[in-house]
Amino acid sequence: MMRFSHFLFLSVFLASTLSACSSEEPVEQQSKSAPRYVKLATVSNIPDFDEFTFPAVVSAVKTVDLSFEVSGRLIQTDLVTGSDINKGKLLATIDRTPFERRVDESKTRLDQAKRELDRIEKMFDQKLVAQSSLDTAKTSYELAVIDLKNAEQDLSYTRLYAPFDAKVSQRLVENNSFVAAGTPIARLQDVSKIYFNINVPERLLTANIGRGIKQASATLATNRSQWYPVNYVEHSTQPDPVSQTYEVVFAMEPREELPLTPGARAVVKVSLQGSLYPEGFVVPVRSLVGNKDSGFAVWVYNEETNAVTKQAVNVKHIENELAIIEGKSQGEITLGQQVVAAGATQMRADMKVLPYQGEK
């Protein structure tokens, strides 16, 4: 009885074991053929890579140092740092007394030279003096005329006037100081327009050669709620040796509601005309497989068969997380197709996949 029961138990155990083994094999095969969930992305048109934002520094149209062209003692100034002045305003004067005396002396010499010339001409007409005497008298008169003009010019140099509407940036010399000719006494900034200086990276400028500026605007760096139109002025053709950037200048008329002074921080937004890539599509960079040497490809999803096929593509440009592509050979990429956007390196030909919808 014991032997029979033992045999019965062993038979049941073997049967269950065989049953388990036979059931595991199809489960394993089934798991291998089960579709894998993948994240898909839709092939879309190229967005407009034509708007760029740059930090900017406000500057004056020009900054000039005022100086006298003659030397003397400064006796009057009207230079208040930070003040706005109009073109033609008298800003500074040096002592005019020595220059006025020189003008009087030059006038006296000119009168004397004129009288001497008249006397010599009369004597020459009477053949009492030689031609050389007449020539000497004429030369003396002409030199006296020149000397008077120089004296009057030096006298006019004793007053400095504002050459343009400006802001007094800095006063460099105080009143009653002796100033030599050419010594700066004040620094003026031409603020008839507001200049915005931006630095454009070399790669960006090179990539967009030939594209015109569609529009540009600027605003405060601390408050970007309101943008104001600006106009292109100029750009440098030599990059900065350290930063490898090109300086570009934009300008606008001064605005009361936009308090900007030279040195202030601002932001400039530039939109370019046209497109660098009129044809092609974009896919996520993560959807690319391969490399530059062997070529790139994407895995295209077929929603009818739930299978993926490998499609070679030409990568024209990469901007942030997007790749601009063109189809290569037969079966080119078309707009609206879906490609594997994550885990593309794990795909194989005709692999069954299902779109991952994410948690709801």
Short mmCIF file of all heavy atoms in Angstrom, two decimals, residues 16-38:
data_model
loop_
_atom_site.label_atom_id
_atom_site.label_comp_id
_atom_site.label_asym_id
_atom_site.label_seq_id
_atom_site.Cartn_x
_atom_site.Cartn_y
_atom_site.Cartn_z
N SER A 16 2.94 17.02 -13.38
CA SER A 16 2.84 18.47 -13.15
C SER A 16 4.08 19.19 -13.64
O SER A 16 4.02 20.31 -14.16
CB SER A 16 2.60 18.76 -11.67
OG SER A 16 3.70 18.28 -10.90
N THR A 17 5.23 18.53 -13.47
CA THR A 17 6.49 19.15 -13.94
C THR A 17 6.52 19.28 -15.45
O THR A 17 6.88 20.30 -16.01
CB THR A 17 7.67 18.32 -13.46
OG1 THR A 17 7.63 18.22 -12.05
CG2 THR A 17 9.00 18.97 -13.89
N LEU A 18 6.12 18.22 -16.14
CA LEU A 18 6.09 18.24 -17.59
C LEU A 18 5.10 19.28 -18.09
O LEU A 18 5.32 19.98 -19.07
CB LEU A 18 5.73 16.86 -18.13
CG LEU A 18 6.83 15.80 -17.95
CD1 LEU A 18 6.29 14.44 -18.38
CD2 LEU A 18 8.08 16.15 -18.74
N SER A 19 3.99 19.33 -17.36
CA SER A 19 2.97 20.32 -17.76
C SER A 19 3.49 21.73 -17.61
O SER A 19 3.25 22.59 -18.44
CB SER A 19 1.70 20.11 -16.91
OG SER A 19 0.75 21.11 -17.20
N ALA A 20 4.25 21.95 -16.52
CA ALA A 20 4.80 23.29 -16.30
C ALA A 20 5.81 23.64 -17.37
O ALA A 20 5.85 24.74 -17.89
CB ALA A 20 5.43 23.37 -14.91
N CYS A 21 6.66 22.68 -17.74
CA CYS A 21 7.68 22.95 -18.76
C CYS A 21 7.04 23.24 -20.11
O CYS A 21 7.45 24.15 -20.83
CB CYS A 21 8.60 21.74 -18.88
SG CYS A 21 9.67 21.52 -17.42
N SER A 22 6.01 22.48 -20.44
CA SER A 22 5.35 22.71 -21.74
C SER A 22 4.63 24.02 -21.78
O SER A 22 4.50 24.64 -22.82
CB SER A 22 4.40 21.54 -22.03
OG SER A 22 3.39 21.49 -21.04
N SER A 23 4.15 24.51 -20.65
CA SER A 23 3.43 25.78 -20.62
C SER A 23 4.38 26.96 -20.62
O SER A 23 4.04 28.05 -21.06
CB SER A 23 2.50 25.84 -19.40
OG SER A 23 3.27 25.79 -18.20
N GLU A 24 5.64 26.80 -20.10
CA GLU A 24 6.58 27.91 -20.04
C GLU A 24 7.12 28.26 -21.43
O GLU A 24 7.37 29.39 -21.75
CB GLU A 24 7.76 27.55 -19.13
CG GLU A 24 7.39 27.62 -17.65
CD GLU A 24 8.58 27.25 -16.78
OE1 GLU A 24 9.65 26.95 -17.36
OE2 GLU A 24 8.44 27.27 -15.56
N GLU A 25 7.30 27.30 -22.27
CA GLU A 25 7.90 27.54 -23.58
C GLU A 25 7.08 28.48 -24.44
O GLU A 25 7.60 29.47 -24.95
CB GLU A 25 8.14 26.22 -24.28
CG GLU A 25 8.86 26.38 -25.61
CD GLU A 25 9.21 25.06 -26.21
OE1 GLU A 25 8.97 24.02 -25.56
OE2 GLU A 25 9.72 25.07 -27.34
N PRO A 26 5.78 28.29 -24.58
CA PRO A 26 5.01 29.26 -25.38
C PRO A 26 4.94 30.62 -24.74
O PRO A 26 4.86 31.62 -25.42
CB PRO A 26 3.64 28.59 -25.51
CG PRO A 26 3.59 27.56 -24.46
CD PRO A 26 4.99 27.12 -24.22
N VAL A 27 4.98 30.68 -23.37
CA VAL A 27 4.96 31.99 -22.71
C VAL A 27 6.21 32.78 -23.07
O VAL A 27 6.18 33.97 -23.35
CB VAL A 27 4.82 31.81 -21.18
CG1 VAL A 27 5.05 33.13 -20.48
CG2 VAL A 27 3.46 31.26 -20.85
N GLU A 28 7.38 32.08 -23.08
CA GLU A 28 8.62 32.76 -23.41
C GLU A 28 8.61 33.23 -24.87
O GLU A 28 9.01 34.34 -25.18
CB GLU A 28 9.78 31.81 -23.16
CG GLU A 28 11.15 32.47 -23.41
CD GLU A 28 12.27 31.50 -23.09
OE1 GLU A 28 11.97 30.38 -22.64
OE2 GLU A 28 13.42 31.88 -23.30
N GLN A 29 8.13 32.36 -25.74
CA GLN A 29 8.04 32.74 -27.15
C GLN A 29 7.08 33.90 -27.34
O GLN A 29 7.30 34.80 -28.13
CB GLN A 29 7.62 31.53 -27.99
CG GLN A 29 8.67 30.44 -28.05
CD GLN A 29 8.20 29.23 -28.83
OE1 GLN A 29 7.02 29.17 -29.23
NE2 GLN A 29 9.09 28.28 -29.04
N GLN A 30 6.02 33.81 -26.54
CA GLN A 30 5.02 34.89 -26.66
C GLN A 30 5.59 36.22 -26.20
O GLN A 30 5.32 37.26 -26.79
CB GLN A 30 3.78 34.52 -25.85
CG GLN A 30 2.65 35.53 -25.98
CD GLN A 30 1.44 35.11 -25.17
OE1 GLN A 30 1.46 34.08 -24.50
NE2 GLN A 30 0.41 35.90 -25.24
N SER A 31 6.44 36.20 -25.12
CA SER A 31 7.02 37.45 -24.62
C SER A 31 7.99 38.05 -25.62
O SER A 31 8.13 39.26 -25.72
CB SER A 31 7.73 37.20 -23.28
OG SER A 31 8.82 36.30 -23.47
N LYS A 32 8.66 37.16 -26.38
CA LYS A 32 9.60 37.68 -27.38
C LYS A 32 8.88 38.38 -28.52
O LYS A 32 9.37 39.34 -29.10
CB LYS A 32 10.47 36.54 -27.91
CG LYS A 32 11.50 36.05 -26.91
CD LYS A 32 12.37 34.97 -27.52
CE LYS A 32 13.44 34.50 -26.53
NZ LYS A 32 14.29 33.43 -27.11
N SER A 33 7.73 37.88 -28.87
CA SER A 33 7.01 38.46 -30.00
C SER A 33 6.03 39.55 -29.59
O SER A 33 5.39 40.13 -30.44
CB SER A 33 6.26 37.36 -30.75
OG SER A 33 5.32 36.74 -29.86
N ALA A 34 5.92 39.82 -28.31
CA ALA A 34 5.00 40.85 -27.84
C ALA A 34 5.49 42.23 -28.27
O ALA A 34 6.69 42.52 -28.19
CB ALA A 34 4.87 40.80 -26.33
N PRO A 35 4.63 43.12 -28.76
CA PRO A 35 5.05 44.47 -29.18
C PRO A 35 5.63 45.27 -28.02
O PRO A 35 5.19 45.15 -26.88
CB PRO A 35 3.75 45.10 -29.70
CG PRO A 35 2.86 43.96 -30.00
CD PRO A 35 3.20 42.89 -29.00
N ARG A 36 6.60 46.08 -28.34
CA ARG A 36 7.22 46.95 -27.33
C ARG A 36 6.61 48.35 -27.45
O ARG A 36 6.42 48.86 -28.55
CB ARG A 36 8.73 47.02 -27.55
CG ARG A 36 9.42 48.01 -26.62
CD ARG A 36 10.91 48.04 -26.85
NE ARG A 36 11.51 46.75 -26.51
CZ ARG A 36 12.82 46.51 -26.54
NH1 ARG A 36 13.65 47.49 -26.91
NH2 ARG A 36 13.30 45.32 -26.23
N TYR A 37 6.35 48.93 -26.32
CA TYR A 37 5.81 50.29 -26.31
C TYR A 37 6.97 51.28 -26.49
O TYR A 37 7.99 51.20 -25.80
CB TYR A 37 5.07 50.58 -25.00
CG TYR A 37 3.71 49.92 -24.94
CD1 TYR A 37 3.55 48.66 -24.35
CD2 TYR A 37 2.60 50.56 -25.49
CE1 TYR A 37 2.30 48.06 -24.30
CE2 TYR A 37 1.35 49.96 -25.44
CZ TYR A 37 1.21 48.72 -24.85
OH TYR A 37 -0.04 48.13 -24.80
N VAL A 38 6.78 52.19 -27.43
CA VAL A 38 7.82 53.19 -27.71
C VAL A 38 7.17 54.57 -27.82
O VAL A 38 5.99 54.70 -28.13
CB VAL A 38 8.57 52.88 -29.02
CG1 VAL A 38 9.37 51.59 -28.90
CG2 VAL A 38 7.63 52.83 -30.21
#
